[in-house]
Structure formats: structure tokens, C-alpha cells
Amino acid sequence: MSSWWSPLRTVAQTHVNGWQVELDPNRPAQGLVISKSRGPRWEAMSVQPLPSHTMVAEEIYVRQQDLIVRFGQAPQDQYGFQIDWRILDPLPGFRVGVEVWISIQTQLLDTAPSVSVASRSDAAWTAWSHSDLVSKAKSSTGQVGSTGLPEHPAAWSSQIGGTSCLWLIDPRDQSQLSWRNAPSDTVQQANLFGDFLEKGVIRRARMQLWVGPRNIQPKQVQRVYRQLMDRDLPLTA
């Protein structure tokens, strides 16, 4: 697999099973672009800090299949944040998988920042709730992820031509998630965090995006959701 990053390019790019995955790490609001020649295209998991941020990348580096970007906290910012994009090993029936970690931290004493994440498709998105997915998606430890979750979408899928895209939120992070009214059925937007953030505390959230079969079945979504629940949390953000 080719490297995500080259110092000669401002755009990070890799190819997985005939699909191109591209992003500008200095402009995370543009999101991931996943496309195939003469095929479908998704603009996924664009990241926009709320309130506004200076968005000056202090550090960009590659660690194995991870592309990591750290945006520091300038005097006019309420917090700093880090984004980790990771290429995943394909799952059965899926061609491309990308995992995204978003971490925030503040040096202020009184702030409640949030991060908006949006995905766009040329076709409508179909919602999958946590309760839709947990009946058969128990983890290997017998757990079903976070309990007491609000009944909002835990995943979205969209089909273009012969391919579907699946966007999932880690169930352990759904308690700090709210969905905004989408401007159209082809755009879905979530707000992460938003509660009081204590100085020095790191808050983080994880999500995944998968490109796979045309008519994605409930069992396939449940299987992907289960592997997300089974993935270990990192020791550090």
C-alpha cells in the first residue's frame, strides 16, 4: 500500500483495491474524498471546529497506516485538536475502510467546544439506530457498547450505482453526539462533544467509513458495527 503522505504534496492520497482515498490534512473541513474512475464519489467525515478555529497545523506525520494532524490552541482559540485518519484492513464484502479519531483538549478554564462532522453523497442516506444493530452485534466480551444511548442514528448508509458507503459512530462515543437537521437527505451532519471541557482533559471520539456492496444487508451492517465495538481503545489520544 502506498504512503499517505509525501512532503512534495499538500494532498495526502492512497489507493486501496482500485479506490482512491484523498484528503488535504491542512483543511479537514474538506473531508475525505473516496472515488473510483468512472464510478461513485463520496465526500466523507469533513471536520469543522465549533466555534471557529485558526486551523493552523502544528504537526503532520505518518505512523504506519495513520496520518495524524495536530492543530494547536492559538490565543484566540478555545481548544486544540488532533485528527488521526487510519486505513483499515478490508472486511469481507467491503473494499475500503477508513477510521477517524478526533481528540480535543483545552488550556482554558471555562469552555464547551464541539466539532461538526459531515458526510455527503449523491444519493440519500439511510439511518441505522443503535437498537437496530445491537441485537446481533454483541461484542466478543458480551457487551453491546454504551448503555442508555439516545435513540439517534448510530450509522448511515448510502448507495450509488453498484456500491454502498457505510458511516458508523463508535457506540462508546454516542453519548457525546447530537445530529443536526440535515440541509438535504444527501448530507448528514453530527456534532461531537459540546459539554464542559475541563482544562488538560482529553476528549475523543471514533468513527469509521466503509465502501462495500451494492445492496448492503442488515447482517453486514451489524457485523461491521460489532468489529467497531470490539476494537481496542488507544492508550493515548
Side-chain angles (χ1 to χ4, degrees):
M1 185 179 296
S2 58
S3 174
W4 266 94
W5 181 252
S6 166
L8 301 179
R9 296 196 302 261
T10 58
V11 175
Q13 185 182 93
T14 191
H15 293 82
V16 184
N17 292 325
W19 288 83
Q20 177 175 286
V21 183
E22 183 178 87
L23 68 93
D24 184 341
N26 289 285
R27 297 175 175 82
Q30 296 180 0
L32 288 165
V33 177
I34 300 180
S35 61
K36 193 172 186 178
S37 178
R38 299 181 181 178
R41 170 189 172 98
W42 284 278
E43 298 175 8
M45 297 189 290
S46 64
V47 178
Q48 180 66 56
L50 301 172
S52 61
H53 194 280
T54 53
M55 300 291 288
V56 176
E58 290 189 347
E59 190 174 22
I60 301 175
Y61 62 97
V62 172
R63 183 177 60 202
Q64 297 179 349
Q65 290 309 117
D66 293 27
L67 172 62
I68 300 168
V69 183
R70 184 170 61 85
F71 296 89
Q73 182 177 344
Q76 61 269 44
D77 296 329
Q78 291 194 16
Y79 65 102
F81 68 102
Q82 177 175 297
I83 309 175
D84 181 336
W85 292 275
R86 174 178 297 174
I87 295 294
L88 299 172
D89 293 333
L91 294 174
F94 291 87
R95 305 295 293 171
V96 184
V98 182
E99 182 169 275
V100 176
W101 273 101
I102 302 172
S103 306
I104 63 174
Q105 187 176 28
T106 185
Q107 299 302 315
L108 302 181
L109 297 176
D110 185 15
T111 185
S114 63
V115 174
S116 172
V117 184
S119 291
R120 296 168 177 81
S121 174
D122 289 336
W125 292 91
T126 298
W128 304 80
S129 71
H130 181 76
S131 60
D132 290 334
L133 302 174
V134 297
S135 59
K136 296 182 181 179
K138 289 186 178 180
S139 72
S140 58
T141 61
Q143 301 298 316
V144 293
S146 302
T147 59
L149 294 175
E151 192 60 17
H152 54 52
W156 293 90
S157 61
S158 178
Q159 178 182 319
I160 304 176
T163 310
S164 291
C165 182
L166 179 62
W167 178 25
L168 309 99
I169 310 296
D170 192 313
R172 289 163 288 197
D173 299 320
Q174 290 171 28
S175 61
Q176 54 184 352
L177 168 74
S178 63
W179 291 95
R180 298 188 61 184
N181 292 329
S184 72
D185 59 3
T186 61
V187 179
Q188 295 301 331
Q189 184 172 338
N191 279 4
L192 293 167
F193 317 122
D195 296 328
F196 170 73
L197 181 62
E198 185 177 352
K199 179 180 179 180
V201 171
I202 297 174
R203 195 170 292 165
R204 59 196 176 195
R206 172 167 58 181
M207 56 195 70
Q208 290 183 352
L209 192 86
W210 292 91
V211 174
R214 175 179 181 179
N215 296 312
I216 194 165
Q217 300 299 312
K219 288 185 178 180
Q220 292 174 301
V221 183
Q222 290 168 342
R223 189 180 307 119
V224 177
Y225 199 64
R226 182 175 60 243
Q227 66 80 31
L228 177 56
M229 290 192 294
D230 284 343
R231 287 180 68 84
D232 293 332
L233 297 174
L235 296 177
T236 59

